[in-house]
Amino acid sequence: MSDVDMLDAVLAKDAALLAGVPAAALGSATPCPGWDVQVLVDHMIGWLQVFAASANGQEVEGDPSTFVSTAPVAEFEAAARDLVSGWRRGGVERAVPMIGAKLPVQMVLDMSLMEYVIHGCDLATATGQAVPFSDDEMLVTLDRARSTLPDDYRGEGKPFGVAIEVGPDAPVLDRLRGFMGRAV
């Protein structure tokens, strides 16, 4: 399966998770410190719009962290379609704009896969839904995260928590969560 096909499948699973979020859960805590479900949903959609613009060779105007969703499933699905079609049309052998820099497509693909698998896990956990990702999707994501996520992005006041040691024989979901700094 190509990286674009895998990302497409992951995004479809995230869209189904978003559709399963009850309104009463929007204020519930998530595995992301200080974020409730509404903040996580807005983050997922705002950044998906950034990734979609990047895949289509465009810069995003505005700050994705200020995005506020009004129709989460529709907004997510539209951005997911834009992202996947941008990768399919433009190919993966190029550099694309990404928050003020030009980055190789593979790096942006890896970041988006990491973002939407782990935040899908976060959303499932926070809303009592089953984590929908296959072991293969999570293993590929873990591998990409290990090569993409530097230690200087981890810790207090940074985008990711410090990695939590998890044994090599632990379920892949626990290994992924631990690497991403989530309590297992």
Side-chain angles (χ1 to χ4, degrees):
M1 174 182 292
S2 77
D3 288 348
V4 175
D5 290 338
M6 183 173 289
L7 180 60
D8 191 22
V10 163
L11 294 172
K13 292 172 183 179
D14 283 333
L17 286 169
L18 284 166
V21 174
L26 293 175
S28 299
T30 71
C32 305
W35 288 11
D36 63 17
V37 170
Q38 183 67 63
V39 171
L40 176 59
V41 167
D42 291 343
H43 171 86
M44 290 174 72
I45 298 166
W47 275 97
L48 189 55
Q49 293 171 348
V50 170
F51 285 115
S54 179
N56 286 287
Q58 303 164 351
E59 286 284 346
V60 170
E61 294 185 24
D63 180 355
S65 67
T66 63
F67 178 81
V68 177
S69 175
T70 57
V73 175
E75 291 163 339
F76 187 91
E77 288 175 338
R81 278 191 306 275
D82 287 350
L83 173 60
V84 171
S85 68
W87 291 142
R88 292 192 198 291
R89 269 193 325 275
V92 296
E93 299 299 324
R94 59 190 167 116
V96 293
M98 185 67 179
I99 309 294
K102 281 273 202 185
L103 299 176
V105 165
Q106 191 61 56
M107 180 181 286
V108 178
L109 264 168
D110 290 351
M111 291 185 321
S112 58
L113 186 61
M114 184 174 65
E115 180 83 2
Y116 291 97
V117 170
I118 195 60
H119 282 322
C121 293
D122 296 335
L123 185 62
T125 298
T127 59
Q129 298 181 70
V131 171
F133 307 112
S134 70
D135 281 355
D136 187 50
E137 290 165 336
M138 290 186 289
L139 280 170
V140 168
T141 300
L142 179 58
D143 181 57
R144 303 298 169 78
R146 286 181 173 144
S147 66
T148 304
L149 181 57
D151 285 338
D152 54 336
Y153 282 87
R154 296 176 175 276
E156 188 70 32
K158 297 190 179 174
F160 298 93
V162 175
I164 298 167
E165 277 297 316
V166 177
D169 294 331
V172 66
L173 176 58
D174 291 348
R175 287 183 276 150
L176 176 62
R177 284 180 170 155
F179 182 80
M180 299 302 292
R182 305 312 198 257
V184 178

